[in-house]
Amino acid sequence: MRIATIVVRSLSHYRRANVAVALGVITGTAALTGALLVGDSMRASLRKNALDRLGPVDGALIAPRYFRAQLADELTNATEARGDRAVPLIRIRASASHAESKARANRINVFGVDRRFWALAPIGHAGDAGNLTGRAVVLNEVLARQLNAEVGDDVFFRIGKVGDVSVETVLGRRDDTTMTLRLPVRAIIPANDLGALSLAPAHQPAANAFVPLATLQKAIDREASANTILLTGSSFASDPTAGTSRFQELFQDHVQLEDLGLRMRINPKLGYVALESEAMLLEPAIESAANRTAAALGKQPMHIYTYLANTIAIASRDTDEIPYSTVAALDRLPAFDPAINSPEAALSPGEIILNDWAARDLNARIGSTIRLTYYVNDTFGRLDTEHADFELRGIVPLAGAAADSGFTPEYAGITDTENVTDWDPPFPIDLGKVRDRDESYWDQHRATPKAFISLEDGRRLWTDDEERFGSVTALRLYADDGEDLSALSASFRNGLLRNINVARIGLRFEPVREQAAAASKGSTEFGGLFIGFSLFLILSACLLVALLFRLGIERRAAQVGILLASG
């Protein structure tokens, strides 16, 4: 008899025991394989969900400020040969409510988009949304279900206003932070591809509303602006990081001062160029770049920090006071017109200069103690009134450099009003304190400072958070005798744009598709996790196999001995 015959007959004769062993092996294998498959399926599902919410988008710039929407077209033109596209849009967080049923949805995304955005969608996905214009909105299915809205219904959107001046500073408007926009629903699109667009990681499907870009720009008073750029194209297929870096370099090359919320003002009469910010304060990174640019041009810049004093008074008799006046803190003084008691070129901490109008009004003399009162933010963001005393070092005539209203940056609600009593500041003021001579001063000199202190004092007294917001409202370069002011302005502008690293001030492109794929992996090994969940079943199956196998061997121990003895 051959070995093969013995094996076959043995398996056949003890088939019941062998089947039991086989079933135990199958059970253990199935538990182990199932755990691994569920883990792989979980990873694949997370990856799919993460990528589905981006549609065709490969990269994105999500900016903390508004910039020219035209920048996206400039980037597209620069990469046209590679077939890449940059699409501008406005992205705002908001809440929505149905006009009739009052059903409400919080933390939704409102996108201001145009045809360039819908051109990214698969053919037939956008439907009527691709031709959306005027006052209308498209909802995705998630938001439509939450609001129980149908085509033709009206929806209210409560949108947070993002002003140029941070609400965490004294001049930030806390009294006007939201607006309401009522729009009819033009279409409802599936919550997939662009309909599910979400540039932030989220476990739940995004509730999105799509408004015509021009309509949203007008509603929030941001004409021709955007705060987001979407990127897509072949450059991201092989190396997403390299594609994003290429767009970052192009953005750096095409950005203008207005894209950064900056403006440059020329004063031919006094011979200077001033750099100012829509946010009132120059960010530290921008101030640093401006200082480097000035040094490269061989100029010593003047740093200015202008603030509003509630009162200016003689400390010993503060019942006589000048209400609501601007005070300029300077690191060096301009060329004030010569006069008796005219100060030297710098102020020391604790010293103050008044113009002759303020000095006459207070009947102040050199050496008098001048008290300034002003608002500051407390720890909890509320307004407190503080005061500081200074020694009067000099009095300058209200003429020439001392009569320059350009020390005070433009601020809507104050500098654009005809009268002091028309002011609309973001903090409380007592208009009853305003006198006829204060109105007369405003008519003639506008927001020209009545007092000057050292920049060191200004920063110490008024700065909320220098590292975040900055502590300079303007930076000036003065032209030398015979120097062309327009040429100086152009050189300053061009040098500043080269020195500002836009990525450092929040204008950074990110490979969002690559990041979403990496984030979907998470830190959990789902295969190992589900093996852990099934560990008891796997161990039980292994023990069952071992026991069945051992039982079968023990039942045949005598036969095995005979076979071994007979050779």
Side-chain angles (χ1 to χ4, degrees), residues 17 20-25 27-28 537-551:
V21 173
L23 290 176
V25 172
T27 301
L537 183 59
I538 294 171
L539 290 177
S540 299
C542 290
L543 288 174
L544 178 62
V545 171
L547 290 173
L548 291 173
F549 184 76
R550 181 176 179 179
L551 180 60

Side-chain angles (χ1 to χ4, degrees), residues 275-350:
L275 176 67
E276 299 172 344
S277 172
E278 299 288 347
M280 296 298 289
L281 295 172
L282 295 175
E283 297 176 49
I286 292 175
E287 181 186 348
S288 177
N291 286 330
R292 294 195 303 271
T293 304
L297 295 174
K299 299 290 184 180
Q300 181 182 2
M302 175 189 290
H303 298 81
I304 304 169
Y305 189 4
T306 301
Y307 208 75
L308 183 69
N310 295 342
T311 62
I312 302 176
I314 302 291
S316 58
R317 45 184 174 87
D318 55 7
T319 53
D320 296 328
E321 58 187 27
I322 303 173
Y324 306 117
S325 307
T326 56
V327 178
L330 311 174
D331 60 345
R332 64 189 184 92
L333 298 180
F336 289 131
D337 286 352
I340 298 175
N341 298 323
S342 179
E344 298 177 1
L347 276 173
S348 299

Side-chain angles (χ1 to χ4, degrees), residues 183-507:
L183 298 171
V185 178
R186 179 72 59 81
I188 297 175
I189 61 176
N192 55 42
D193 205 78
L194 289 181
L197 180 65
S198 176
L199 299 176
H203 298 293
Q204 300 296 327
N208 293 337
F210 301 91
V211 180
L213 180 58
T215 301
L216 190 56
Q217 288 171 336
K218 183 177 181 180
I220 64 175
D221 196 22
R222 295 286 183 176
E223 301 288 342
S225 297
N227 63 3
T228 303
I229 294 179
L230 305 182
L231 305 177
T232 185
S234 58
S235 293
F236 298 90
S238 57
D239 191 345
T241 302
T244 305
S245 298
R246 189 177 298 111
F247 270 100
Q248 186 71 52
E249 294 171 1
L250 290 171
F251 188 85
Q252 179 79 52
D253 293 339
H254 287 81
V255 75
Q256 299 297 322
L257 290 184
E258 51 266 38
D259 299 318
L260 308 177
L262 302 175
R263 57 177 175 262
M264 200 164 285
R265 184 169 52 82
I266 299 177
N267 188 319
K269 182 179 179 180
L270 296 177
Y272 67 77
V273 177
L275 176 67
E276 299 172 344
S277 172
E278 299 288 347
M280 296 298 289
L281 295 172
L282 295 175
E283 297 176 49
I286 292 175
E287 181 186 348
S288 177
N291 286 330
R292 294 195 303 271
T293 304
L297 295 174
K299 299 290 184 180
Q300 181 182 2
M302 175 189 290
H303 298 81
I304 304 169
Y305 189 4
T306 301
Y307 208 75
L308 183 69
N310 295 342
T311 62
I312 302 176
I314 302 291
S316 58
R317 45 184 174 87
D318 55 7
T319 53
D320 296 328
E321 58 187 27
I322 303 173
Y324 306 117
S325 307
T326 56
V327 178
L330 311 174
D331 60 345
R332 64 189 184 92
L333 298 180
F336 289 131
D337 286 352
I340 298 175
N341 298 323
S342 179
E344 298 177 1
L347 276 173
S348 299
E351 296 180 334
I352 191 171
I353 293 174
L354 295 179
N355 64 23
D356 55 3
W357 186 96
R360 285 195 305 271
D361 192 58
L362 295 175
N363 194 23
R365 299 289 183 268
I366 300 300
S368 297
T369 300
I370 306 298
R371 173 165 295 174
L372 302 181
T373 63
Y374 47 87
Y375 283 127
V376 295
N377 279 328
D378 68 9
T379 306
F380 302 100
R382 296 171 302 199
L383 289 179
D384 277 346
T385 301
E386 300 285 350
H387 73 269
D389 293 341
F390 299 86
E391 178 186 352
L392 181 57
R393 172 177 163 179
I395 300 172
V396 296
L398 185 53
D404 182 12
S405 61
F407 279 112
T408 304
E410 297 177 7
Y411 186 85
I414 295 182
T415 59
D416 57 350
T417 61
E418 292 298 323
N419 305 293
V420 176
T421 51
D422 294 332
W423 282 10
D424 181 26
F427 43 78
I429 60 174
D430 183 359
L431 294 178
K433 294 182 177 181
V434 179
R435 307 160 301 176
D436 290 342
R437 55 180 176 272
D438 298 320
E439 288 286 11
S440 178
Y441 184 94
W442 183 263
D443 291 340
Q444 298 178 50
H445 305 290
R446 310 301 293 175
T448 300
K450 298 185 179 79
F452 303 88
I453 62 174
S454 70
L455 183 63
E456 181 180 341
D457 279 336
R459 285 173 165 166
R460 176 176 56 84
L461 298 175
W462 305 327
T463 299
D464 287 306
D465 189 336
E466 184 174 350
E467 293 184 359
R468 290 180 59 196
F469 306 119
S471 58
V472 172
T473 55
L475 188 145
R476 285 185 184 179
L477 299 186
Y478 282 87
D480 297 328
D481 291 339
E483 186 176 7
D484 187 335
L485 199 58
S486 297
L488 174 61
S489 175
S491 298
F492 189 29
R493 173 185 291 268
N494 296 334
L496 183 61
L497 289 172
R498 287 193 301 270
N499 282 321
I500 293 177
N501 184 343
V502 295
R504 289 187 58 192
I505 57 175
L507 297 175

Side-chain angles (χ1 to χ4, degrees), residues 39-97:
D40 289 341
S41 176
M42 178 71 73
R43 283 194 297 270
S45 296
L46 291 175
R47 178 182 174 86
K48 182 177 183 301
N49 291 338
L51 298 182
D52 282 351
R53 64 179 173 80
L54 293 173
V57 177
D58 295 300
L61 166 67
I62 307 173
R65 70 188 78 223
Y66 286 86
F67 49 81
R68 291 177 300 126
Q70 183 184 345
L71 262 175
D73 293 331
E74 295 174 6
L75 298 180
T76 298
N77 294 335
T79 58
E80 188 174 6
R82 292 192 295 270
D84 296 336
R85 279 186 288 178
V87 175
L89 55 86
I90 291 177
R91 173 181 175 270
I92 301 177
R93 298 290 281 179
S95 62
S97 60

